[in-house]
Amino acid sequence: MKKVGKKSLIGGILALSLILGGTGYAYWTDTLNITTKATTGEFGMKFVDLGLYAQYSDEINTDGAKGWSIVDGIDKGYVESDFFERGTQYNKIAKDGSIEKYKERQKGYSNTEFDAKLKDAAPLKKQVGPYNSANTNGSDRIDIKINEMYPGYAQAFRSDLLNVGSIAAKLGNMKFTVSSKDRDASTVKDMLGIALYMH
């Protein structure tokens, strides 16, 4: 039988100590991992459903009574409340043929022309109420053009304002810019008005 020396014995004890120490460390320790994913909400407001006045059923009386109208002094003095009504065709300002019919009506009285459109309009990215990407374009700017208007002239446009983002929004400021080719813009601005109805 071979005699074990002191050095071999100490080496064996050290080796055993390291093995037991490693086993004890592994047994009494653990690792916890936390994976974090954060995204920011999206803020977005869009004008949609731009149209001439009387595009909605609550603006037109269906019981035979007359709804509200724009008085223009032509013929009987006003147009019926459903003159431009275009139903749920959201990406046009009036029903087909109605603007041409109005131009024919005003011949001999005035040469006023009007138009309105959503500037750089694009389909909505999400559905809000009846408005969705399949049937509605939205924009953050409306361009209205009125040529050869006169004192007393009236025309009204209407648009809905939608929150298409994921963060609650509150209307705080709207910018209204007026330009004129042949007159001081401030004179023309005094002839225009904005009414804001929050529903």
Side-chain angles (χ1 to χ4, degrees):
M1 185 172 165
K2 188 176 179 184
K3 199 173 183 182
V4 179
K6 281 186 176 182
K7 288 186 180 177
S8 297
L9 185 61
I10 291 171
I13 292 171
L14 279 173
L16 186 59
S17 301
L18 289 172
I19 292 169
L20 292 174
T23 303
Y25 179 78
Y27 185 78
W28 292 106
T29 61
D30 197 1
T31 302
L32 298 176
N33 293 309
I34 298 175
T35 302
T36 304
K37 182 178 180 182
T39 60
T40 58
E42 184 180 354
F43 186 80
M45 301 296 295
K46 295 291 180 187
F47 288 114
V48 298
D49 198 17
L50 173 64
L52 288 164
Y53 66 95
Q55 300 295 332
Y56 298 89
S57 59
D58 62 347
E59 296 172 340
I60 301 168
N61 293 333
T62 56
D63 60 358
K66 300 296 182 188
W68 65 285
S69 302
I70 291 295
V71 176
D72 58 9
I74 299 170
D75 191 23
K76 58 185 174 183
Y78 62 92
V79 294
E80 301 290 347
S81 58
D82 61 350
F83 191 91
F84 296 108
E85 184 189 16
R86 49 95 173 102
T88 57
Q89 297 173 349
Y90 298 121
N91 299 314
K92 57 171 62 179
I93 64 170
K95 67 185 172 189
D96 292 339
S98 60
I99 293 176
E100 291 75 16
K101 185 177 175 184
Y102 187 81
K103 286 180 180 178
E104 185 64 33
R105 164 193 167 84
Q106 70 179 356
K107 273 186 180 175
Y109 294 93
S110 75
N111 295 319
T112 305
E113 294 186 357
F114 54 86
D115 191 20
K117 63 181 178 180
L118 298 174
K119 183 76 172 178
D120 300 323
L124 296 179
K125 293 181 179 177
K126 70 180 233 184
Q127 179 161 344
V128 180
Y131 304 122
N132 59 56
S133 59
N135 66 13
T136 311
N137 293 331
S139 174
D140 57 3
R141 182 175 164 188
I142 296 175
D143 280 354
I144 297 174
K145 292 181 181 176
I146 303 175
N147 296 324
E148 297 193 39
M149 65 185 293
Y150 52 86
Y153 175 80
Q155 187 58 270
F157 299 90
R158 177 173 174 167
S159 176
D160 282 353
L161 184 60
L162 298 184
N163 182 356
V164 294
S166 58
I167 300 172
K170 178 181 176 183
L171 183 62
N173 186 21
M174 292 181 79
K175 185 177 180 183
F176 185 54
T177 305
V178 177
S179 62
S180 176
K181 292 180 181 177
D182 56 349
R183 291 183 178 266
D184 179 20
S186 62
T187 303
V188 176
K189 191 172 184 177
D190 289 340
M191 297 174 70
L192 302 176
I194 295 179
L196 182 62
Y197 171 61
M198 302 297 287
H199 183 59

